[in-house]
């Protein structure tokens, strides 16, 4: 009996290691987009991914027939939403001030302008390709709300707020 259990545990560990080898990079990228951290310095994203993978491993035997990537992505989204809820008081209620000083490059600085809720919906819908209905069910929101959040986030990304107009130096005739 012990040998059988040891064999099952070894098989489970091999299966999970193979899953992580194939999916961890994409999941880490999704976590990095969610946290809006630079790709080379992303401790919150790595912690988020570690917790999501730990939960996925704990439920590995119950996943038969279910895609483990979907479960890990779901855990990533749920843990991010919970963390954002505690950090901001209410998910999506506060919009960070646009900042050019966000460390990192390109998409990170742009995504930092979005609220956590907008980032979550945008990453699930646009990066991960999750359907509106599935996103709504995962977040416990109506489909129309997910659609509106996604549209607002896309508008913010495509049409960033303008800064103050440059001041003209007064030329004093001599």
């Amino acid at each position: 009996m012990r040998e059988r259990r040891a064999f099952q545990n070894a098989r489970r560990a091999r299966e999970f290691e193979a899953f992580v080898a194939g999916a961890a990079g994409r999941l880490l990228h999704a976590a990095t987009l969610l946290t809006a951290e630079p790709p080379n310095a992303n401790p919150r994203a790595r912690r988020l991914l570690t917790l999501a993978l730990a939960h996925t491993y704990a439920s590995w035997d119950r996943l038969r027939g279910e895609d483990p990537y979907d479960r890990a992505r779901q855990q990533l989204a749920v843990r991010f939403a919970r963390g954002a809820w505690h950090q901001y008081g209410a998910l999506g209620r506060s919009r960070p001030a646009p900042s050019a000083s966000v460390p990192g490059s390109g998409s990170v600085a742009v995504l930092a302008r979005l609220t956590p809720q907008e980032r979550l919906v945008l990453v699930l819908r646009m990066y991960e390709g999750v359907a509106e209905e599935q996103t709504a069910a995962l977040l416990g929101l109506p489909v129309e709300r997910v659609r509106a959040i996604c549209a607002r986030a896309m508008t913010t990304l495509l049409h960033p707020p303008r800064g103050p107009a440059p001041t003209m130096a007064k030329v004093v005739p001599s």
Side-chain angles (χ1 to χ4, degrees):
M1 188 67 160
R2 280 186 183 159
E3 290 176 11
R4 182 177 176 195
R5 187 70 181 154
F7 176 76
Q8 288 174 338
N9 287 341
R11 181 181 48 87
R12 177 181 185 212
R14 281 193 311 274
E15 288 174 356
F16 186 74
E17 286 173 11
F19 163 69
V20 169
R26 184 170 173 92
L27 286 168
L28 178 60
H29 187 68
T32 302
L33 293 173
L34 287 172
T35 59
E37 295 176 305
N40 55 352
N42 53 3
R44 287 179 43 226
R46 289 178 183 277
R47 175 148 175 77
L48 195 61
L49 177 60
T50 301
L51 293 171
L53 288 175
H55 187 274
T56 303
Y57 183 72
S59 61
W60 191 257
D61 291 333
R62 296 184 302 268
L63 290 179
R64 298 297 167 217
E66 189 178 335
D67 184 7
Y69 185 86
D70 286 342
R71 176 67 65 95
R73 179 180 54 217
Q74 177 183 6
Q75 279 301 309
L76 200 64
V78 167
R79 288 183 180 281
F80 174 74
R82 276 191 207 139
W85 182 272
H86 292 297
Q87 182 178 0
Y88 292 101
L91 185 61
R93 291 252 172 107
S94 64
R95 177 179 296 275
S99 166
S101 64
V102 175
S105 62
S107 63
V108 172
V110 171
L111 288 173
R113 282 187 249 153
L114 301 176
T115 65
Q117 187 180 50
E118 289 169 339
R119 275 197 314 267
L120 179 56
V121 168
L122 200 66
V123 168
L124 288 173
R125 292 281 299 123
M126 300 300 158
Y127 178 71
E128 288 291 323
V130 178
E132 282 179 341
E133 294 81 11
Q134 288 177 300
T135 301
L138 176 64
L139 301 178
L141 297 171
V143 175
E144 297 78 24
R145 179 80 177 125
V146 168
R147 191 175 298 129
I149 292 168
C150 191
R152 184 177 63 223
M154 289 301 293
T155 299
T156 301
L157 292 180
L158 295 174
H159 306 289
R162 294 182 183 181
T167 57
M168 299 293 288
K170 226 181 206 182
V171 178
V172 179
S174 35

